[in-house]
Amino acid sequence: MTAQHSSGLLVPKYRPDGDSHPPLDTPEYGSSALRHPKRPLQLLPQYLTEVTGPLLGHDRVGETDHDLTVQHEGEPLGERIIVSGRVLDSDGKPVPETLLELWQANAAGRYRHAGDRHPAPLDPNFTGVGRAMTDADGCYRFVTIKPGAYPWRNHDNAWRPAHLHFSLFGQAFTQRLITQMYFPGDPLFYQDPIFNSVRDPAARERMISTFDLDTTVPEWALSYKFDIVLRGSEATVFEEEDDD
């Protein structure tokens, strides 16, 4: 890590990790051709406003935001699951009091979004969006429905593996990071160009959650563990905001 001096502030600046994080232009991932920058990136200075605010804390999280199965009058359809883990820094230390957002398709593989035209049913009792804060030990927990796979027309007979989207905030929107969590043993991994745009096999494995019987609730929900590491050799892979 190096530091950048900007208007009297010492702002951390990390070397890019091109071996783990996906390249901005991935030909197999068709829409990246229109999304990726065509010119060299320019580092924008971060001033006090960008570094310190707005603060994203408990006042941004509602009482049921962490449980996507109780946000409507009825229960959503599909397999109820628990997703929990820790947010850690590059030294393995917990990152407390940080905001996580989750969004996903429903059990039929459809997002509640006007742009999703997949001919699968919408669930009136499932919006597919949640929020949670990490505790003092960096732990978080969501209750949700296991998402379904869905077609996305990137290539012939293209289907996205089941996945959850996570975003993490530091102290401000400029520090937002986005990743995807996958489920173990998915048969669609081999043909998915988004998953495989991460060229390092070990880094791809870090995007796959682990089934955890110890935190499974008997006769109620299976459980998956997914730790998110922000920096270092064990870092989780992060992506561009526009990825599907």
Side-chain angles (χ1 to χ4, degrees), residues 42-59:
Q42 299 295 318
L43 187 64
L44 297 177
Q46 293 189 7
Y47 299 103
L48 190 62
T49 300
E50 286 78 19
V51 175
T52 61
L55 294 178
L56 305 170
H58 288 278
D59 60 339

Side-chain angles (χ1 to χ4, degrees), residues 156-177:
D156 182 51
N157 202 15
W159 291 78
R160 293 246 44 223
H163 61 279
L164 306 177
H165 298 266
F166 280 93
S167 80
L168 297 89
F169 291 94
Q171 294 180 316
F173 287 106
T174 57
Q175 299 169 352
R176 188 185 188 209
L177 296 172

Side-chain angles (χ1 to χ4, degrees), residues 150-230:
Y150 58 82
W152 65 302
R153 300 181 180 179
N154 181 78
H155 53 275
D156 182 51
N157 202 15
W159 291 78
R160 293 246 44 223
H163 61 279
L164 306 177
H165 298 266
F166 280 93
S167 80
L168 297 89
F169 291 94
Q171 294 180 316
F173 287 106
T174 57
Q175 299 169 352
R176 188 185 188 209
L177 296 172
I178 299 174
T179 189
Q180 294 184 20
M181 186 204 93
Y182 297 89
F183 294 87
D186 197 303
L188 295 172
F189 284 151
Y190 81 97
Q191 60 84 64
D192 182 55
I194 295 181
F195 179 75
N196 289 292
S197 68
V198 178
R199 292 166 291 186
D200 180 0
R204 288 198 297 270
E205 288 296 318
R206 294 196 293 271
M207 295 190 294
I208 303 174
S209 61
T210 303
F211 172 70
D212 187 57
L213 188 62
D214 290 339
T215 53
T216 288
V217 178
E219 302 182 36
W220 191 72
L222 297 179
S223 183
Y224 295 86
K225 284 288 187 180
F226 186 61
D227 290 344
I228 301 174
V229 181
L230 299 183

Side-chain angles (χ1 to χ4, degrees), residues 96-110:
E97 306 298 319
T98 193
L99 175 65
L100 283 81
E101 290 184 334
L102 177 153
W103 68 98
Q104 63 170 98
N106 65 19
R110 186 169 178 184

Side-chain angles (χ1 to χ4, degrees), residues 64-65 67-68 71 101-104 126-131 142:
T64 62
D65 283 0
D67 189 341
L68 284 69
Q71 296 173 353
E101 290 184 334
L102 177 153
W103 68 98
Q104 63 170 98
F126 190 73
T127 305
V129 177
R131 281 182 166 181
F142 286 100

